[in-house]
Amino acid sequence: MSVDRTYLKSAIAAMLDVLAIEHPLGHQEAYVRRYILTTPSGKRIELMFEQSAKTPANIWLEASVAGSLLRSWTKHRLSPASQLYAKPGKNGDPQYGRHSALETMPALGTADLICMQPKTLAEAGAILDHLLGA
């Protein structure tokens, strides 16, 4: 992982640690950090941040709260619930099709999701600002 990516991921994790609470399912220290972000209006938003050295700084959230983020300049990809368990795994059984840490999260596990991929701290901040306004 480059110094830039290391810094970006550390900074995003620090922002999330201040703005959100750790999800009851907890973090996976090497791979993901799971959070609940509570907006000023009291809405609770689950999100998951991939902190692994092998991935971009992915922030997973429900597509229903993404709103204008879908039209933003931040790279993202949609992950519709309709595609879950659609492909067989190596053993032939249906495979979840997303990061396995999402599967057990109550709001994210089977919902339509968006995976935001901020490349800068400003992009990550804009995502969190948007969510806090939800």
Side-chain angles (χ1 to χ4, degrees), residues 16-31:
L16 287 166
D17 286 345
V18 169
L19 296 172
I21 60 170
E22 183 174 339
H23 193 281
L25 292 174
H27 300 317
Q28 293 178 346
E29 286 308 315
Y31 301 106

Side-chain angles (χ1 to χ4, degrees), residues 41-117:
S41 67
K43 183 174 184 173
R44 295 168 55 90
I45 300 171
E46 277 190 358
L47 57 93
M48 188 186 85
F49 171 59
E50 290 187 54
Q51 65 180 4
S52 168
K54 297 177 182 180
T55 64
N58 295 328
I59 300 173
W60 291 85
L61 51 116
E62 282 186 85
S64 63
V65 298
S68 63
L69 290 174
L70 295 174
R71 297 181 301 278
S72 76
W73 31 263
T74 301
K75 183 178 178 183
H76 63 275
R77 64 184 162 91
L78 299 175
S79 180
S82 62
Q83 294 179 359
L84 294 176
Y85 304 104
K87 296 180 182 175
K90 292 178 184 175
N91 64 359
D93 292 338
Q95 184 175 339
Y96 178 58
R98 294 178 179 158
H99 193 294
S100 61
L102 290 163
E103 191 170 15
T104 57
M105 295 182 74
L108 301 183
T110 58
D112 291 330
L113 301 184
I114 183 170
C115 177
M116 302 299 300
Q117 298 174 332

